[in-house]
Amino acid sequence: SQRLFWGGLLAAGAGLVGSSLVHAQDEGLVHAQDQGLDPRFEAEARKRASAARGLAMPAEAAPCVLLTEEAWVAWLADLALESRDRAQVARLEGFLHALRLIPGDQSLEAALDRVAWGGSAIVYDFAHDRFVVGPGLQNRRWRALPTFVHEAVHWVEEARLGIAFDRRLAELEGEDDALLAYRSLVEGTATLATVLSLFQASDAPLSEVPDLSAAVRANAALTEFAGSGDPRFGPWLDEALVAPYADGAEFVHTLLRDMSWREFDQRVYPDPPRSMEHILHPQKYLAGEAPIRVTLPSGLDEAVGAGWSSLGDSTSGELTLRIVAGVEAAEGWGGDRYRVYRDAAGRLLAVWVIEFDAPADALEFARDFPHVARERTNRERKRSVIIADPQKVLPADHLSAILALFD
């Protein structure tokens, strides 16, 4: 799942341990006992993933490759370099800095690196159809079984459903909201299957969990990591990292109340959720309610003025609105689009246009939005225009010219 984690924000690396550490057996590649991975552990994880996900075990088991501490760090570094689009990271970081969702002196890229180094101890490598096992899992063994089950679900799904996860992620490159929604589907499915495997093992009904999303958030073993672990970043980073697992699991769980796994596979993967609005409100996905397509006016760059370079556009989505202004203020989200600018001095500017379902929703958001930006909300319209200018360097006439484009 680390490959999905890097996804559009950010394969095989150097330093793999030698073949002397692995021995071929009937169930795939099973490792020398002195390396700390019990073959029964592998077999149990695969079996639980297959049973909980409702898919037959693939005929050929994906191999496991053990890494030393040094090789594990090197492999993750190579994975990050290969998967990460630095221009997309710069755009997202600029947006977050302009909205003050992360402090201006903090690097998003560095934070993502720290999460990766302290994250999952096993990764299903989609590109090479194998499990890459770090020293953390080798040392934890059976206590890490849920993590292995989670990754094994990805393996079973790709093998049995023919889903090219990497290709789909590449198609969504640069679209923050759609990419996060797809990750929420994939990671939510694996997380729910992991939870189901735990309940099946204990013979307890899943219905006893009143709030699956909250339960997953409270259990770092199910999310593969507890977040950034750095309070300097505030809530945005942790929420954006954990939401695909927690909210994604709740989305899948809601759908499975009225359909079987087979029906789910026939409907949802061919027509996946296109927005975090779908993930957070499954009934909108089932009703086929598409997010509003928001476009930025053609004269925006000219209105911003000379000296500013665009870092790109994207859609932020309802999850960001929840983090910014709370759940209630974000409920009416219909669609959005933002563009980030940077000048030669490194100062940032973001223009964020949000379309709501009703004028009252736009007014509620404007009221609850932290006053770190200049905004305009028309009482007769369903739109809020946020100009995030944290250093207040935009001249008044340029501000007026930008807002006039949306009148």
Side-chain angles (χ1 to χ4, degrees), residues 119-120 140 146-147 215-227 242 245:
S120 173
R140 286 153 56 196
T147 303
V216 172
R217 280 180 165 83
N219 191 331
L222 296 177
T223 62
E224 302 181 348
F225 44 75
V242 175
Y245 300 83

Side-chain angles (χ1 to χ4, degrees), residues 43-79:
E44 183 67 18
R46 298 176 198 268
K47 182 179 74 174
R48 289 195 185 192
S50 174
R53 185 56 182 82
L55 293 169
M57 186 89 73
E60 184 175 348
C64 289
V65 178
L66 271 66
L67 302 186
T68 64
E69 179 73 35
E70 181 180 357
W72 173 249
V73 172
W75 185 80
L76 286 175
D78 282 356
L79 179 64

Side-chain angles (χ1 to χ4, degrees), residues 64-130:
C64 289
V65 178
L66 271 66
L67 302 186
T68 64
E69 179 73 35
E70 181 180 357
W72 173 249
V73 172
W75 185 80
L76 286 175
D78 282 356
L79 179 64
L81 288 174
E82 182 176 311
S83 303
R84 182 184 299 160
D85 185 322
R86 292 182 180 276
Q88 301 296 349
V89 173
R91 170 191 49 74
L92 177 58
E93 181 179 84
F95 177 71
L96 297 174
H97 281 162
L99 270 293
R100 295 183 181 174
L101 294 178
I102 60 175
D105 61 346
Q106 299 299 318
S107 163
L108 177 62
E109 191 166 11
L112 294 175
D113 282 343
R114 285 198 294 274
V115 173
W117 307 157
S120 173
I122 180 171
V123 176
Y124 175 59
D125 181 356
F126 293 98
H128 298 86
D129 187 28
R130 64 182 180 179

